[in-house]
Amino acid sequence: MRRDEEHRQRSGLVWDNLKADQGCLSFASRRYTAELVNVPTDPDVDGLKWCMETQIEIHGAMYEHPRRCDKIIAEWITHSNEPTCRTFWDHHTKKGCNGNHKRIFEAKLENHQPPWDNWQEMCVSTPSHFNYGHHDHPDICRETVASGPLSRNILLTISYRRTMGYWGLVCIR
């Protein structure tokens, strides 16, 4: 075991070509891949084992080992310091009480990066704070198509998709 560790250190293993996926997996989460370089071609060297035992720093966070390795290509899932993956809910609007004695609130998901992000996954994983409480996710997510003027001075209407979240809280009458 010690001999293997000394061999690893002498080899000068480094991760190269770290790449982030263009889209987010969920709130504050992104997939990264990189290649482990300087792995000797000795038959005694277990490249897969070395890959799984080599740490990396991504955005200031240390990852002791990859999530998985395919020979010398590794994959990590980050859960912090991903600003473009930090979706948030715009102003929450009360929609009244329904027949199930639930007060419905709705809000629009912001900082969503279509077409790369999965709107459903971003919606169900984005937390919210409103009505004096923390909510891990909305009860219902919907993607709607809306339309509106391009600007006040241009008489051109465009349509766009937006992701809406809905929460049902107990009505107190």
Side-chain angles (χ1 to χ4, degrees), residues 39 45-53 68-73:
V39 178
V45 171
D46 184 349
L48 183 60
K49 179 178 180 252
W50 282 20
C51 179
M52 287 301 293
E53 293 177 350
R68 68 181 187 89
C69 286
D70 180 13
K71 296 185 182 175
I72 56 172
I73 304 295

Side-chain angles (χ1 to χ4, degrees), residues 59-173:
H59 295 307
M62 288 303 296
Y63 294 85
E64 292 301 315
H65 57 83
R67 179 173 168 246
R68 68 181 187 89
C69 286
D70 180 13
K71 296 185 182 175
I72 56 172
I73 304 295
E75 172 186 275
W76 297 264
I77 305 297
T78 62
H79 297 286
S80 62
N81 297 328
E82 293 293 340
T84 59
C85 296
R86 288 198 165 275
T87 44
F88 62 92
W89 296 103
D90 197 3
H91 178 74
H92 292 78
T93 306
K94 285 184 192 178
K95 302 305 274 185
C97 288
N98 67 14
N100 295 328
H101 304 289
K102 297 278 186 172
R103 180 173 304 282
I104 305 301
F105 289 82
E106 78 172 3
K108 181 180 174 216
L109 186 66
E110 297 288 354
N111 199 36
H112 172 43
Q113 313 292 319
W116 306 288
D117 299 344
N118 177 315
W119 69 268
Q120 293 166 316
E121 187 58 43
M122 297 307 290
C123 182
V124 299
S125 64
T126 301
S128 187
H129 299 275
F130 71 95
N131 202 43
Y132 308 106
H134 171 83
H135 307 275
D136 289 334
H137 54 79
D139 297 320
I140 298 171
C141 293
R142 288 196 178 122
E143 186 178 51
T144 63
V145 177
S147 62
L150 185 59
S151 75
R152 291 181 203 198
N153 301 331
I154 300 174
L155 298 174
L156 178 62
T157 301
I158 60 166
S159 61
Y160 53 92
R161 295 185 181 280
R162 63 182 178 189
T163 301
M164 302 297 292
Y166 299 88
W167 295 259
L169 306 180
V170 175
C171 286
I172 300 172
R173 295 188 189 234

